[in-house]
Coordinates of all heavy atoms in Angstrom, one line a residue:
T1 N 171.3 -16.0 112.5 CA 170.2 -16.4 113.3 C 169.3 -17.6 112.7 O 168.8 -18.4 113.3 CB 169.2 -15.3 113.6 OG1 168.7 -14.6 112.4 CG2 170.0 -14.1 114.3
N2 N 169.3 -17.6 111.3 CA 168.7 -18.6 110.7 C 169.2 -20.1 111.0 O 168.4 -21.0 111.2 CB 168.7 -18.5 109.1 CG 167.7 -17.6 108.5 OD1 166.7 -17.1 109.2 ND2 167.8 -17.3 107.2
V3 N 170.6 -20.1 110.9 CA 171.3 -21.4 111.1 C 171.2 -21.7 112.6 O 170.9 -23.0 112.8 CB 172.7 -21.3 110.6 CG1 173.4 -22.6 110.9 CG2 172.8 -21.0 109.1
A4 N 171.3 -20.9 113.5 CA 171.2 -21.1 114.9 C 169.8 -21.8 115.3 O 169.7 -22.7 115.9 CB 171.5 -20.0 115.8
R5 N 168.8 -21.2 114.7 CA 167.5 -21.5 114.8 C 167.3 -23.0 114.2 O 166.6 -23.9 114.9 CB 166.4 -20.6 114.3 CG 165.0 -21.0 114.6 CD 164.0 -20.0 114.0 NE 162.6 -20.5 114.2 CZ 161.6 -19.7 114.0 NH1 161.7 -18.5 113.5 NH2 160.4 -20.2 114.2
K6 N 167.7 -23.1 113.1 CA 167.6 -24.4 112.3 C 168.3 -25.6 113.1 O 167.6 -26.6 113.4 CB 168.1 -24.3 110.9 CG 167.8 -25.4 110.1 CD 168.0 -25.1 108.6 CE 167.5 -26.1 107.6 NZ 166.2 -25.8 107.3
L7 N 169.5 -25.3 113.6 CA 170.1 -26.3 114.4 C 169.4 -26.6 115.6 O 169.3 -27.8 116.0 CB 171.6 -25.8 114.8 CG 172.7 -25.9 113.6 CD1 173.9 -25.1 114.1 CD2 173.0 -27.4 113.3
Q8 N 168.8 -25.6 116.3 CA 168.2 -25.9 117.6 C 166.8 -26.6 117.3 O 166.5 -27.6 118.1 CB 167.8 -24.6 118.3 CG 167.2 -24.6 119.6 CD 167.2 -23.3 120.3 OE1 168.2 -22.6 120.5 NE2 165.9 -22.8 120.5
E9 N 166.0 -26.2 116.3 CA 164.8 -26.8 116.1 C 164.8 -28.2 115.4 O 164.0 -29.1 115.7 CB 163.8 -25.8 115.4 CG 163.4 -24.6 116.1 CD 162.5 -23.7 115.4 OE1 162.4 -23.7 114.0 OE2 161.7 -22.9 116.0
E10 N 165.7 -28.3 114.4 CA 165.7 -29.5 113.7 C 166.7 -30.6 114.1 O 166.5 -31.8 113.9 CB 166.1 -29.2 112.2 CG 164.9 -28.4 111.5 CD 165.2 -28.1 110.1 OE1 166.2 -28.6 109.5 OE2 164.5 -27.3 109.5
R11 N 167.8 -30.1 114.8 CA 168.7 -31.1 115.4 C 168.8 -31.2 116.8 O 169.6 -32.0 117.4 CB 170.1 -30.9 114.8 CG 170.2 -30.9 113.3 CD 171.6 -30.8 112.9 NE 171.8 -30.6 111.4 CZ 172.9 -30.4 111.0 NH1 174.1 -30.3 111.6 NH2 172.9 -30.2 109.6
G12 N 168.1 -30.2 117.5 CA 168.3 -30.2 119.0 C 169.6 -29.8 119.5 O 170.1 -30.0 120.6
V13 N 170.3 -29.1 118.6 CA 171.7 -28.6 118.8 C 171.7 -27.1 119.2 O 171.1 -26.3 118.4 CB 172.7 -28.9 117.7 CG1 174.0 -28.3 117.9 CG2 172.8 -30.4 117.5
Q14 N 172.3 -26.7 120.2 CA 172.4 -25.3 120.5 C 173.8 -24.9 120.4 O 174.8 -25.4 120.9 CB 171.9 -25.0 122.0 CG 172.0 -23.6 122.4 CD 171.4 -23.4 123.8 OE1 170.2 -23.6 124.1 NE2 172.3 -23.0 124.8
V15 N 174.0 -23.8 119.6 CA 175.4 -23.3 119.3 C 175.8 -22.6 120.7 O 174.9 -22.2 121.5 CB 175.5 -22.4 118.0 CG1 175.1 -23.0 116.8 CG2 174.6 -21.1 118.3
D16 N 177.2 -22.5 120.7 CA 177.7 -22.0 121.9 C 177.3 -20.5 122.2 O 177.2 -20.0 123.3 CB 179.2 -22.2 122.0 CG 179.5 -23.7 122.1 OD1 179.0 -24.3 123.0 OD2 180.2 -24.2 121.1
A17 N 177.2 -19.7 121.1 CA 176.9 -18.3 121.2 C 176.6 -17.8 119.8 O 177.1 -18.4 118.9 CB 177.9 -17.6 121.8
V18 N 175.8 -16.7 119.7 CA 175.7 -16.0 118.4 C 176.0 -14.5 118.7 O 175.6 -14.0 119.7 CB 174.2 -16.1 118.0 CG1 173.9 -15.2 116.7 CG2 173.8 -17.5 117.7
V19 N 176.8 -14.0 117.9 CA 177.2 -12.6 117.9 C 176.7 -11.9 116.6 O 176.9 -12.4 115.5 CB 178.8 -12.4 117.9 CG1 179.1 -10.8 118.0 CG2 179.4 -13.1 119.2
L20 N 176.0 -10.9 116.7 CA 175.4 -10.1 115.7 C 175.9 -8.7 115.5 O 175.7 -7.9 116.5 CB 173.8 -10.1 115.8 CG 173.2 -11.3 115.9 CD1 171.6 -11.3 116.2 CD2 173.5 -12.3 114.8
E21 N 176.6 -8.4 114.5 CA 177.3 -7.1 114.4 C 176.6 -6.3 113.3 O 176.4 -6.7 112.2 CB 178.7 -7.3 113.9 CG 179.6 -6.1 113.7 CD 181.0 -6.4 113.3 OE1 181.4 -7.5 113.4 OE2 181.6 -5.4 112.8
S22 N 176.0 -5.2 113.7 CA 175.2 -4.3 112.8 C 174.0 -5.0 112.2 O 173.8 -5.1 111.1 CB 176.1 -3.8 111.7 OG 177.2 -3.1 112.1
P23 N 173.2 -5.7 113.2 CA 172.0 -6.4 112.7 C 170.8 -5.6 112.4 O 170.7 -4.4 112.7 CB 171.8 -7.3 113.9 CG 172.2 -6.5 115.1 CD 173.3 -5.6 114.6
Y24 N 169.8 -6.2 111.9 CA 168.6 -5.7 111.6 C 167.5 -6.6 112.1 O 167.8 -7.8 112.5 CB 168.4 -5.5 110.0 CG 168.8 -6.8 109.2 CD1 167.8 -7.7 109.0 CD2 170.1 -6.9 108.8 CE1 168.2 -8.9 108.4 CE2 170.5 -8.0 108.1 CZ 169.5 -9.2 107.9 OH 169.9 -10.3 107.3
T25 N 166.3 -6.2 112.0 CA 165.1 -7.0 112.5 C 164.9 -8.1 111.5 O 164.7 -9.3 111.8 CB 163.9 -6.3 112.8 OG1 163.7 -5.4 111.8 CG2 164.2 -5.5 114.2
N26 N 164.7 -7.7 110.2 CA 164.3 -8.5 109.1 C 164.7 -7.8 107.9 O 164.9 -6.6 107.9 CB 162.9 -9.0 109.1 CG 161.8 -7.8 109.0 OD1 161.8 -7.1 108.2 ND2 161.2 -7.7 110.1
I27 N 164.8 -8.6 106.8 CA 165.4 -7.8 105.6 C 164.5 -6.8 105.1 O 164.9 -5.7 104.5 CB 165.7 -8.9 104.5 CG1 166.7 -8.4 103.5 CG2 164.5 -9.3 103.8 CD1 168.0 -8.2 104.0
R28 N 163.1 -6.8 105.2 CA 162.3 -5.8 104.7 C 162.5 -4.5 105.5 O 162.7 -3.4 104.9 CB 160.8 -6.2 105.0 CG 159.8 -5.4 104.3 CD 158.4 -5.9 104.6 NE 157.3 -5.5 103.7 CZ 157.0 -4.4 103.2 NH1 157.7 -3.3 103.6 NH2 155.9 -4.2 102.4
D29 N 162.7 -4.6 106.9 CA 163.1 -3.4 107.6 C 164.2 -2.8 107.2 O 164.5 -1.7 107.1 CB 163.0 -3.7 109.1 CG 161.6 -4.0 109.7 OD1 160.7 -3.6 109.1 OD2 161.5 -4.4 110.9
A30 N 165.3 -3.7 107.0 CA 166.7 -3.2 106.6 C 166.6 -2.4 105.3 O 167.1 -1.4 105.1 CB 167.7 -4.4 106.6
A31 N 165.9 -3.1 104.3 CA 165.8 -2.4 103.0 C 165.1 -1.1 103.1 O 165.4 -0.3 102.2 CB 165.2 -3.4 102.0
A32 N 164.1 -1.0 103.9 CA 163.5 0.3 104.0 C 164.3 1.4 104.6 O 163.9 2.6 104.5 CB 162.2 0.1 105.0
H33 N 165.5 1.0 105.1 CA 166.3 2.1 105.9 C 167.6 2.3 105.2 O 168.4 3.1 105.6 CB 166.5 1.6 107.3 CG 165.3 1.8 108.1 ND1 164.3 0.8 108.3 CD2 164.7 2.9 108.8 CE1 163.4 1.3 109.0 NE2 163.4 2.5 109.3
I34 N 168.0 1.4 104.3 CA 169.4 1.6 103.7 C 169.4 2.9 102.9 O 168.4 3.2 102.3 CB 169.9 0.4 102.9 CG1 168.9 0.0 101.7 CG2 170.1 -0.8 103.8 CD1 169.5 -1.0 100.8
P35 N 170.6 3.5 102.9 CA 170.6 4.9 102.1 C 170.2 4.9 100.7 O 169.5 5.8 100.3 CB 172.0 5.2 102.3 CG 172.6 4.4 103.5 CD 171.8 3.2 103.5
I36 N 170.5 3.8 99.9 CA 170.2 3.8 98.6 C 168.5 3.9 98.3 O 168.2 4.4 97.2 CB 170.7 2.5 97.8 CG1 170.8 2.8 96.4 CG2 170.1 1.3 98.2 CD1 171.6 1.8 95.6
T37 N 167.9 3.5 99.3 CA 166.4 3.5 99.1 C 165.8 5.0 99.5 O 164.5 5.1 99.2 CB 165.6 2.4 99.9 OG1 165.8 2.6 101.2 CG2 166.1 1.0 99.4
K38 N 166.5 5.7 100.1 CA 166.0 7.0 100.6 C 165.3 7.8 99.5 O 164.2 8.3 99.8 CB 167.1 7.9 101.2 CG 166.7 9.0 102.0 CD 167.8 9.8 102.7 CE 167.2 10.9 103.5 NZ 168.2 11.5 104.3
I39 N 165.7 7.9 98.3 CA 165.2 8.8 97.3 C 163.9 8.1 96.9 O 162.9 8.8 96.5 CB 166.1 9.0 96.1 CG1 165.5 10.1 95.2 CG2 166.4 7.7 95.4 CD1 166.5 10.5 94.2
Y40 N 163.7 6.8 96.9 CA 162.6 6.2 96.4 C 161.4 6.0 97.4 O 160.3 5.7 97.1 CB 163.0 4.7 95.9 CG 164.0 4.7 94.9 CD1 165.3 4.3 95.2 CD2 163.7 5.2 93.6 CE1 166.3 4.4 94.2 CE2 164.8 5.2 92.6 CZ 166.0 4.8 92.9 OH 167.0 4.9 92.0
R41 N 161.7 6.1 98.7 CA 160.7 6.0 99.8 C 159.5 6.9 99.7 O 158.5 6.6 100.0 CB 161.4 6.2 101.1 CG 162.4 5.1 101.4 CD 163.0 5.4 102.9 NE 164.3 4.9 102.8 CZ 165.3 5.3 103.6 NH1 165.1 6.4 104.5 NH2 166.5 4.8 103.5
Q42 N 159.7 8.2 98.9 CA 158.7 9.1 98.8 C 157.6 8.7 97.7 O 156.6 9.3 97.6 CB 159.4 10.5 98.6 CG 159.9 10.6 97.3 CD 160.8 11.8 97.2 OE1 160.5 12.7 97.7 NE2 161.9 11.9 96.2
F43 N 158.1 7.7 96.9 CA 157.2 7.5 95.7 C 156.2 6.4 96.1 O 156.5 5.5 96.7 CB 158.1 6.9 94.5 CG 159.0 8.0 94.0 CD1 160.3 7.8 94.0 CD2 158.5 9.1 93.3 CE1 161.1 8.8 93.5 CE2 159.3 10.1 92.8 CZ 160.7 9.9 92.9
P44 N 155.0 6.6 95.5 CA 153.9 5.5 95.7 C 154.4 4.2 95.2 O 155.1 4.2 94.2 CB 152.7 6.0 94.9 CG 153.0 7.4 94.5 CD 154.4 7.6 94.6
G45 N 154.0 3.1 95.9 CA 154.5 1.8 95.3 C 155.9 1.4 95.9 O 156.3 0.2 95.5

């Protein structure tokens, strides 16, 4: 999505399509939900 947006905004080029498999909204949301962080979510900070 970064590259598709950059091409569109900076070069006026639209890619033919974007397929997103197992996507997230943003990396912060993704990190908050990945299994490895589950144990740490309960701690302050």
Side-chain angles (χ1 to χ4, degrees):
T1 63
N2 275 354
V3 178
R5 180 179 182 172
K6 194 170 192 82
L7 282 169
Q8 185 174 299
E9 290 183 338
E10 295 180 9
R11 298 187 190 176
V13 172
Q14 183 174 291
V15 295
D16 294 304
V18 175
V19 179
L20 304 176
E21 182 183 345
S22 304
Y24 49 87
T25 49
N26 57 67
I27 200 69
R28 190 182 205 306
D29 287 350
H33 290 90
I34 60 172
I36 198 167
T37 64
K38 188 173 185 173
I39 193 168
Y40 302 107
R41 292 179 212 157
Q42 63 188 341
F43 296 114

